[in-house]
Amino acid sequence: MSTRKNKTDAYIAVMLALLMLCFSAASQAANVTNARVWPAPDHTRLVFEITKGVEHKLFSMSKPDRIVIDMSNAKLLTDLSELSLKGSPIKRIRSAVRNSHDLRVVLDVARQVEPKSFLLKPNQQYGNRLVIDLHERETKKKAPKVVKSIDDQHQRRDIVVVIDAGHGGEDPGALGPGRVREKDVVLAISRELKALIDNKTGMQAQMTRNGDYYVGLRQRTGLARKHNADLFVSVHADAFNKPQASGASVYALSKRGATSEAARWLAKKENSADLIGGVGGVSLDDKDDVLAGVLLDLSMTASLNASLGVGSHVLKAMGGMTKLHKKRVEQAGFVVLKSPDIPSILVETGFISNPAEASRLKTRKYQKKMAKAIYRGLDTHFRTTPPPGTLLSYQQYNRNAKSPKKYKIQRGDTLSGIAKRNQVTVSQLRKENSLRSDQVKIGQVIRIPAS
């Protein structure tokens, strides 16, 4: 009798152990609790919110075109049919249980795309995520390269400003009181700034993003190069762990950041073909290492100096409408500022972590006000130092040509000597100043016509 009881107890113990294993496996399953679709011009991002990291496989199938995502030991706890697929290549999303404990999601797509996947760790707004990027296949057509001439005053092209609204899509940026999101605030300011620039004759603006989607940091500077930009402006809203921090700031690239970037560019041979394409179309692919390093250093120094110059104008203009965090242009190694051939600034429009500033930054009125201040700074910079070959440069050249300079006669000056130094004739000087002879007096002020 005891032997039978022992066998029964052993059987029950085994069954309990098996049940415990089943419950343990079930408890370890990753649950897919939500999903989002972020369409962008060159790719679409599909994000699955999961309770923990998950092993997965991603592959494409054709006839018909579809993308398959297999998640190991995962359960779907949300309705994927309710997702808006507008603006994306996805026609339909299907799902099914596989091997009793795995999840298969199938994306029926309208055209062939290149899929990539990766896991994201939790941030301020979201938990663990599985991200699927569907990249549009690039066409082989090559756009003709626009070379910025540094000599042709009659080219009269527009000044191109590329505006970069920070963060976007799955990256909300900083979060302020009342869940004010940096990505929303800076996109609104960037759109206002674009409208102001486009309304200015001789200037045009391009955006790195014009919707709620994410663009990689290196891709942002790549877009500036693609648009042959004269200036890159990245718009952000700062945050700090103490709500008292406040004020707007402007950043340019640091010397250390410029040095590290120069080394990176020189090390990567594929960069050399179009490096410094923004200034005269200079290429480094046919230069030896020493000459390439010198040219790159000159380009980065010129870009950095121009960045500090335009940054000062923008900071001064913002100081007229809001408090400044620092009264000079700060320098840091931000990736988006590391373009060797394009002057680049990063504008922190305020501290979104500060309740008062967050309250202002989320209003349309203040966003317009901030955009106007940034625009005034850019306009002042380009009116004083317009890039060669642009309409504004041509107009400035003509204004200077039509406006005679004034000169005060010094001891030893002669009319012929003054004419020679200014590349004009003596008769032109006489005519401009209604002179009856070549005699001039010390302290006399004369006008010198354009040569």
Side-chain angles (χ1 to χ4, degrees):
M1 184 74 180
S2 61
T3 304
R4 185 182 295 176
K5 184 176 184 300
N6 289 341
K7 284 183 179 179
T8 304
D9 290 345
Y11 176 76
I12 292 171
V14 170
M15 291 302 293
L16 284 171
L18 288 171
L19 283 170
M20 289 295 290
L21 283 171
C22 290
F23 281 124
S24 176
S27 65
Q28 290 174 6
N31 294 327
V32 180
T33 58
N34 198 5
R36 293 177 293 279
V37 177
W38 306 100
D42 61 344
H43 75 284
T44 292
R45 175 163 288 186
L46 172 62
V47 181
F48 295 104
E49 279 197 32
I50 49 181
T51 52
K52 64 176 187 173
V54 65
E55 289 186 9
H56 69 282
K57 290 181 181 178
L58 177 72
F59 56 94
S60 303
M61 299 184 76
S62 57
K63 296 181 182 179
D65 293 323
R66 57 202 186 277
I67 307 298
V68 180
I69 308 130
D70 282 339
M71 301 183 217
S72 299
N73 197 20
K75 286 185 176 181
L76 182 65
L77 302 182
T78 187
D79 187 357
L80 299 179
S81 65
E82 294 183 355
L83 286 174
S84 172
L85 306 177
K86 186 178 180 182
S88 80
I90 306 170
K91 295 190 296 184
R92 184 175 59 154
I93 302 180
R94 297 178 281 131
S95 64
V97 177
R98 187 169 173 269
N99 299 333
S100 74
H101 58 270
D102 295 340
L103 172 65
R104 170 166 283 187
V105 177
V106 180
L107 313 178
D108 295 322
V109 291
R111 53 192 175 274
Q112 288 189 339
V113 290
E114 296 177 0
K116 291 182 181 178
S117 65
F118 55 93
L119 293 167
L120 282 178
K121 292 181 179 180
N123 64 15
Q124 287 178 293
Q125 188 167 359
Y126 303 118
N128 290 288
R129 288 151 291 162
L130 171 61
V131 179
I132 312 296
D133 278 344
L134 306 177
H135 292 272
E136 300 288 347
R137 297 199 171 181
E138 292 183 10
T139 57
K140 296 293 181 183
K141 289 182 181 179
K142 230 181 177 182
K145 189 175 178 74
V146 179
V147 177
K148 295 178 182 177
S149 168
I150 60 173
D151 298 315
D152 185 8
Q153 286 289 351
H154 300 281
Q155 188 177 334
R156 308 184 199 181
R157 63 174 182 83
D158 285 347
I159 291 171
V160 180
V161 179
V162 169
I163 306 167
D164 171 47
H167 308 281
E170 199 63 17
D171 175 17
L175 295 174
R179 300 196 67 76
V180 182
R181 300 185 299 187
E182 180 180 5
K183 67 173 184 177
D184 300 329
V185 168
V186 298
L187 180 60
I189 293 172
S190 296
R191 284 172 171 167
E192 295 289 349
L193 179 58
K194 183 183 189 306
L196 290 167
I197 291 172
D198 286 342
N199 198 42
K200 167 82 174 183
T201 303
M203 291 178 70
Q204 61 166 286
Q206 300 288 343
M207 303 269 284
T208 59
R209 72 175 180 98
N210 197 20
D212 190 10
Y213 50 86
Y214 182 73
V215 181
L217 298 179
R218 292 285 180 187
Q219 191 182 354
R220 294 169 192 256
T221 56
L223 286 168
R225 180 163 286 101
K226 179 184 175 182
H227 291 300
N228 215 16
D230 295 285
L231 178 67
F232 177 86
V233 181
S234 192
V235 184
H236 289 256
D238 218 336
F240 194 60
N241 54 16
K242 293 182 179 178
Q244 292 82 6
S246 63
S249 310
V250 176
Y251 286 86
L253 185 62
S254 65
K255 288 281 187 182
R256 183 180 295 178
T259 302
S260 64
E261 188 65 9
R264 175 183 173 272
W265 275 83
L266 289 171
K268 298 193 74 172
K269 298 296 183 186
E270 63 268 28
N271 287 328
S272 63
D274 65 346
L275 186 61
I276 325 180
V279 186
V282 179
S283 172
L284 300 183
D285 57 355
D286 58 345
K287 311 295 190 297
D288 63 45
D289 290 346
V290 175
L291 180 55
V294 171
L295 288 173
L296 180 58
D297 184 59
L298 288 170
S299 176
M300 296 204 79
T301 300
S303 291
L304 182 52
N305 289 338
S307 302
L308 291 169
V310 67
S312 296
H313 287 299
V314 171
L315 195 65
K316 184 177 179 181
M318 289 199 303
M321 55 77 63
T322 191
K323 177 187 173 183
L324 297 179
H325 186 61
K326 292 284 178 67
K327 293 184 179 179
R328 61 176 178 80
V329 178
E330 298 178 83
Q331 292 180 257
F334 292 115
V335 173
V336 291
L337 300 179
K338 291 185 174 183
S339 185
D341 53 342
I342 303 170
S344 306
I345 60 171
L346 186 145
V347 180
E348 294 282 9
T349 54
F351 278 81
I352 205 167
S353 52
N354 180 291
E357 290 197 347
S359 180
R360 288 195 295 269
L361 282 166
K362 70 180 181 182
T363 66
R364 180 80 185 276
K365 182 179 179 181
Y366 193 78
Q367 290 163 0
K368 282 179 169 254
K369 199 174 176 183
M370 180 59 69
K372 283 180 182 176
I374 298 171
Y375 168 75
R376 281 197 303 272
L378 302 184
D379 185 50
T380 301
H381 173 76
F382 285 126
R383 276 192 288 106
T384 53
T385 52
T390 60
L391 176 63
L392 293 187
S393 176
Y394 176 80
Q395 291 173 339
Q396 187 191 63
Y397 175 81
N398 275 354
R399 279 196 299 271
N400 292 341
K402 292 174 182 177
S403 304
K405 294 187 293 184
K406 291 184 178 181
Y407 178 73
K408 192 173 183 179
I409 304 298
Q410 309 293 320
R411 185 179 296 277
D413 277 339
T414 63
L415 206 61
S416 59
I418 295 169
K420 187 176 182 180
R421 288 200 303 271
N422 290 278
Q423 298 180 349
V424 295
T425 64
V426 173
S427 60
Q428 283 178 308
L429 282 176
R430 281 181 183 167
K431 184 177 179 182
E432 182 67 37
N433 294 279
S434 302
L435 298 175
R436 295 183 180 180
S437 69
D438 293 352
Q439 290 183 351
V440 288
K441 297 177 181 178
I442 296 172
Q444 181 181 352
V445 177
I446 64 171
R447 296 188 303 275
I448 301 173
S451 61

